[in-house]
Amino acid sequence: MKSYLECVPCFIRQTWDVLQRVTGDQGIQEGVMRNVLWAVSRMDLNDPPPVMSQYIHQMIRRKTGLIDPYKEIKELSNRVVLSMYDRLKEQIQESADPLETALRLAIAGNLIDMGARSHIDAAYIQDAINRAFVEPLAWNREAFVTEVEQAGAILYLADNAGEIVFDRLLIEELPMEKITVAVRGYPILNDATMDDAREVGLTEIVRVMDTGAAAPGIVLSDSSESFVQAFEEADLILSKGQGNYETLSDCEKDIFFILTVKCPVIARDLDCRPGEMIVRKNQHSLASTQ
Amino acid sequence: MKSYLECVPCFIRQTWDVLQRVTGDQGIQEGVMRNVLWAVSRMDLNDPPPVMSQYIHQMIRRKTGLIDPYKEIKELSNRVVLSMYDRLKEQIQESADPLETALRLAIAGNLIDMGARSHIDAAYIQDAINRAFVEPLAWNREAFVTEVEQAGAILYLADNAGEIVFDRLLIEELPMEKITVAVRGYPILNDATMDDAREVGLTEIVRVMDTGAAAPGIVLSDSSESFVQAFEEADLILSKGQGNYETLSDCEKDIFFILTVKCPVIARDLDCRPGEMIVRKNQHSLASTQ
């Protein structure tokens, strides 16, 4: 997906949000802000939005020396959702359709996104869970199950910390032996990295690798060889969240996009409403199913 | 008041808001957006925010050829508030303190501000009026009345269309013979111009002049000689709204700032909460009275 002019106010808001979080030094804040404004003024709109996000966060890291500004938020979200794990597991197992329940929770977890929001806490996460059970979910259960069954290798692209506990619950309802989970190669926003995968016990139940890149999405040209190989060899990709959608919406592999739509640009691209819970097969594969 | 980095996301949001309103031509939208990003990347933060707003709106006017993108909004707000004039006049006259009631309405009217909001309609205006009667208003009645009585010439700096009907109601409670009202010299946002002053009958009851400038505030270096003279000769200035506050907060004349605080930057500068109704004597004059 390309970037739109509508993304521009969001890039600038995101820059200011992070700057306030990471430094009180007004000289650094001003330097980064001026640099980002200049960079956005000449950006290539053909790049998906995560390319500019990556640039912004790299700039902030370089100027502040702070590697992981969202570390505390990530640990907090992991801890909060982990404390709910047993109860959620029970809810899934006792529900009429455990797969759909786990999928709903995994989509609700996608609301734990510091790219789209400035603040997240335990009450916000509980609200997201409550929403998961009442929002409509239009998905093609049969196509999803069939593709998962027929695939030899499944690559699961994680999105955010906290959310990754919900991902674990969903993965436990899928054929785990076929699944590799990919997290980001470096800290970016509150996206999950290998530390988060370890913290929530994901590394104990499936193979986990990282992309080798710091984009809040999948940019193959920036990714490690081993990730690119896993990506190419996967028969099916389960892609969580907006950043992965933005970077893979034009990719020709078999991909199910699983996300909550958090911005009007993506809503338009997906032809749905902001706030909608989405399980959508990409349009480019031969066996498009929804 | 200088500009702050916090103003930057707001400049960019405002640019996008106006661009969507004035043109569907994506080439023009992109050209203006890139130019504004570049201009903001090198702006002088010592300038008050209306200087950049003026630049942005001049750029949009030049690229689209559209002189007055908020014309309809301004006419609508004038019409809506004018239709309430008789009822509001009665409310003022029957109230225990007609001056305070008129002042409260004039401050509520300051919420009709397209710089701070993207959308305004009749329901929004009615809400603003309802708020005017219940919100606390910390003002020094005695100081205000004394200064108004003692002043020979009073310059009333109007802010927005629609709001200017409330200004008329307030001016009718003041010694009208001493008052000159100033409106903007050219269309900018939904700020009131001479057309609006005429539409709401203000020109029939007091002297009205324009600033000769297109800034959504008072930039003396850009203003006409006759306005600068009226400004210098005024014994007291009644200044409506944020834009006039932003450009005059450091001015050493006797000024009462009358406004609703609509942004966190101005709230911090005035040491109050966003949303607060303000009648505040400037700090630089000798007889500071707050």
Side-chain angles (χ1 to χ4, degrees):
Chain A
M1 187 186 109
K2 68 188 279 297
S3 294
Y4 293 85
L5 289 175
E6 275 168 278
C7 304
V8 168
C10 212
F11 290 136
I12 306 302
R13 173 195 60 77
Q14 206 180 92
T15 304
W16 180 237
D17 276 357
V18 189
L19 280 173
Q20 283 180 288
R21 177 180 303 274
V22 299
T23 179
D25 183 321
Q26 288 177 17
I28 292 179
Q29 289 180 337
E30 185 176 333
V32 171
M33 189 56 105
R34 287 187 189 277
N35 180 296
V36 168
L37 285 160
W38 174 82
V40 179
S41 82
R42 53 202 299 279
M43 79 174 282
D44 184 348
L45 290 172
N46 291 313
D47 286 337
V51 172
M52 180 50 70
S53 290
Q54 179 177 13
Y55 176 88
I56 291 169
H57 290 270
Q58 270 169 349
M59 167 67 48
I60 292 171
R61 267 199 299 276
R62 207 161 64 228
K63 296 284 184 189
T64 62
L66 198 58
I67 302 299
D68 195 359
Y70 291 87
K71 193 172 171 53
E72 278 179 38
I73 291 273
K74 291 192 289 184
E75 287 174 355
L76 171 77
S77 354
N78 286 336
R79 212 163 48 237
V80 168
V81 190
L82 265 183
S83 75
M84 303 168 170
Y85 177 87
D86 289 341
R87 180 167 60 79
L88 294 170
K89 183 82 186 169
E90 213 174 83
Q91 262 184 300
I92 290 169
Q93 286 172 336
E94 288 173 0
S95 70
D97 184 345
L99 177 59
E100 179 168 323
T101 306
L103 200 51
R104 281 178 168 276
L105 285 168
I107 299 172
N110 186 233
L111 283 166
I112 307 171
D113 179 351
M114 296 301 291
R117 280 183 67 83
S118 306
H119 180 70
I120 278 172
D121 58 19
Y124 176 79
I125 294 173
Q126 186 56 56
D127 278 354
I129 293 174
N130 297 343
R131 260 185 95 245
F133 293 104
V134 292
E135 284 290 310
L137 176 66
W139 71 304
N140 186 331
R141 193 183 198 287
E142 197 187 328
F144 184 88
V145 170
T146 306
E147 298 227 21
V148 166
E149 267 173 16
Q150 288 176 351
I154 299 175
L155 183 62
Y156 189 108
L157 305 174
D159 192 1
N160 301 309
E163 175 178 357
I164 202 174
V165 182
F166 295 100
D167 293 328
R168 179 179 160 183
L169 286 159
L170 173 56
I171 287 165
E172 287 169 351
E173 299 300 315
L174 298 171
M176 281 192 277
E177 67 287 356
K178 300 198 283 192
I179 293 179
T180 299
V181 174
V183 292
R184 309 298 179 216
Y186 300 92
I188 174 91
L189 286 162
N190 67 325
D191 284 34
T193 63
M194 193 59 84
D195 283 349
D196 302 292
R198 269 192 220 101
E199 265 174 50
V200 307
L202 201 58
T203 46
E204 291 161 31
I205 62 166
V206 286
R207 180 181 170 224
V208 183
M209 69 185 313
D210 72 56
T211 60
I218 302 299
V219 180
L220 287 176
S221 56
D222 286 348
S223 301
S224 66
E225 263 182 57
S226 56
F227 175 75
V228 173
Q229 193 183 345
F231 187 87
E232 281 172 358
E233 287 175 4
D235 302 306
L236 180 64
I237 291 171
L238 303 180
S239 163
K240 283 296 300 290
Q242 288 195 162
N244 290 330
Y245 174 78
E246 289 167 34
T247 44
L248 294 176
S249 63
D250 297 324
C251 173
E252 296 197 359
K253 289 193 70 79
D254 276 330
I255 308 180
F256 277 103
F257 293 107
I258 302 170
L259 68 151
T260 301
V261 176
K262 283 159 285 186
C263 95
V265 174
I266 290 177
R268 202 173 53 219
D269 208 69
L270 276 162
D271 192 20
C272 69
R273 287 169 297 101
E276 221 168 290
M277 292 173 49
I278 298 284
V279 179
R280 182 84 60 96
K281 188 72 194 295
N282 62 334
Q283 299 154 344
H284 298 275
S285 59
L286 293 172
S288 189
T289 49
Q290 130 78 12
Chain B
M1 188 186 109
K2 68 190 277 298
S3 295
Y4 293 86
L5 289 175
E6 274 167 276
C7 305
V8 169
C10 213
F11 290 136
I12 306 302
R13 173 196 60 75
Q14 205 180 95
T15 304
W16 180 236
D17 276 357
V18 189
L19 280 173
Q20 283 179 286
R21 177 181 302 276
V22 298
T23 179
D25 183 321
Q26 289 177 18
I28 291 179
Q29 289 180 338
E30 185 176 333
V32 171
M33 188 57 104
R34 288 187 190 277
N35 180 295
V36 168
L37 286 159
W38 174 82
V40 179
S41 82
R42 52 202 300 277
M43 77 175 282
D44 184 348
L45 290 171
N46 290 314
D47 286 337
V51 172
M52 180 49 70
S53 290
Q54 179 177 12
Y55 176 87
I56 292 170
H57 290 270
Q58 270 169 348
M59 167 67 48
I60 292 171
R61 266 198 299 275
R62 207 162 62 229
K63 296 286 183 187
T64 62
L66 199 59
I67 301 300
D68 195 358
Y70 291 88
K71 193 172 171 53
E72 278 178 37
I73 292 272
K74 291 192 289 183
E75 287 173 354
L76 171 77
S77 350
N78 286 337
R79 212 163 47 236
V80 168
V81 190
L82 265 183
S83 75
M84 303 168 171
Y85 176 89
D86 289 341
R87 180 166 60 78
L88 294 170
K89 184 82 187 169
E90 210 174 85
Q91 262 184 301
I92 289 169
Q93 287 172 335
E94 288 173 359
S95 69
D97 184 345
L99 176 59
E100 178 169 321
T101 305
L103 199 51
R104 282 178 168 276
L105 285 168
I107 299 172
N110 186 233
L111 283 166
I112 307 171
D113 180 352
M114 295 302 292
R117 282 183 66 83
S118 306
H119 180 69
I120 278 172
D121 58 19
Y124 175 79
I125 293 173
Q126 185 57 55
D127 277 354
I129 293 174
N130 297 342
R131 261 185 94 245
F133 293 104
V134 292
E135 284 290 309
L137 177 67
W139 71 304
N140 187 329
R141 192 184 199 289
E142 197 187 327
F144 184 88
V145 170
T146 306
E147 298 226 21
V148 166
E149 267 173 15
Q150 288 175 352
I154 299 174
L155 183 62
Y156 190 108
L157 305 173
D159 192 2
N160 301 308
E163 176 179 356
I164 203 174
V165 182
F166 295 101
D167 293 327
R168 178 179 160 183
L169 285 159
L170 172 57
I171 287 165
E172 288 169 351
E173 299 299 315
L174 297 171
M176 281 191 278
E177 67 288 357
K178 300 198 282 192
I179 294 180
T180 300
V181 174
V183 292
R184 309 298 180 217
Y186 300 92
I188 174 90
L189 287 160
N190 67 324
D191 284 34
T193 63
M194 193 58 85
D195 283 348
D196 302 292
R198 268 190 221 104
E199 265 175 51
V200 307
L202 201 57
T203 45
E204 291 161 29
I205 62 166
V206 285
R207 179 179 171 226
V208 183
M209 69 187 311
D210 72 56
T211 60
I218 302 299
V219 181
L220 288 177
S221 56
D222 286 349
S223 302
S224 66
E225 263 182 57
S226 56
F227 175 76
V228 173
Q229 192 183 346
F231 187 87
E232 282 172 357
E233 287 175 2
D235 302 306
L236 180 65
I237 292 172
L238 302 181
S239 162
K240 283 295 300 292
Q242 289 195 161
N244 290 330
Y245 174 77
E246 289 167 33
T247 44
L248 294 177
S249 64
D250 297 323
C251 173
E252 296 196 359
K253 288 191 72 78
D254 275 331
I255 307 180
F256 277 102
F257 293 108
I258 301 169
L259 68 151
T260 301
V261 176
K262 283 159 283 184
C263 97
V265 174
I266 290 176
R268 202 173 54 219
D269 209 70
L270 277 163
D271 191 21
C272 69
R273 286 169 298 100
E276 222 168 289
M277 293 173 47
I278 297 285
V279 179
R280 182 84 61 96
K281 188 72 195 292
N282 61 335
Q283 299 154 347
H284 298 275
S285 59
L286 293 170
S288 188
T289 49
Q290 144 62 5

